Amino acid sequence: MLRQIKYFQAVVRHNSFSEAAYECNISQSAISQQIQALERELGFPLLKRKKRKFELTPAGEFFL
């Protein structure tokens, strides 16, 4: 779970899944899957995805 939190923070910091994936040295699809797994584990969405962009949900802002 700690690694997933690190990925989540990187995505928010870069405002990009691709740039966060590069920083974390994993693929973009892997970082996306890890954030989805974190959301499932927590039981609430952290990000509201919109095509190629996203925004933090209120729960995501609080979690961050």
Side-chain angles (χ1 to χ4, degrees):
M1 181 187 241
L2 291 177
R3 184 176 298 146
Q4 293 168 336
I5 294 169
K6 174 185 159 192
Y7 294 159
F8 171 67
Q9 291 172 330
V11 166
V12 173
R13 182 171 52 256
H14 291 287
N15 199 32
S16 167
F17 280 86
S18 298
E19 289 180 32
Y22 180 79
E23 175 188 310
C24 296
N25 200 31
I26 63 171
S27 70
Q28 183 274 330
S29 62
I31 206 164
S32 181
Q33 290 171 0
Q34 289 298 308
I35 294 195
Q36 288 174 345
L38 176 62
E39 291 174 321
R40 281 192 304 275
E41 193 168 336
L42 294 172
F44 51 83
L46 298 170
L47 303 173
K48 183 176 181 182
R49 292 157 178 85
K50 296 179 177 184
K51 296 188 181 182
R52 306 209 87 197
K53 297 185 180 208
F54 69 88
E55 62 185 42
L56 287 169
T57 64
E61 288 182 28
F62 182 77
F63 186 76
L64 182 62

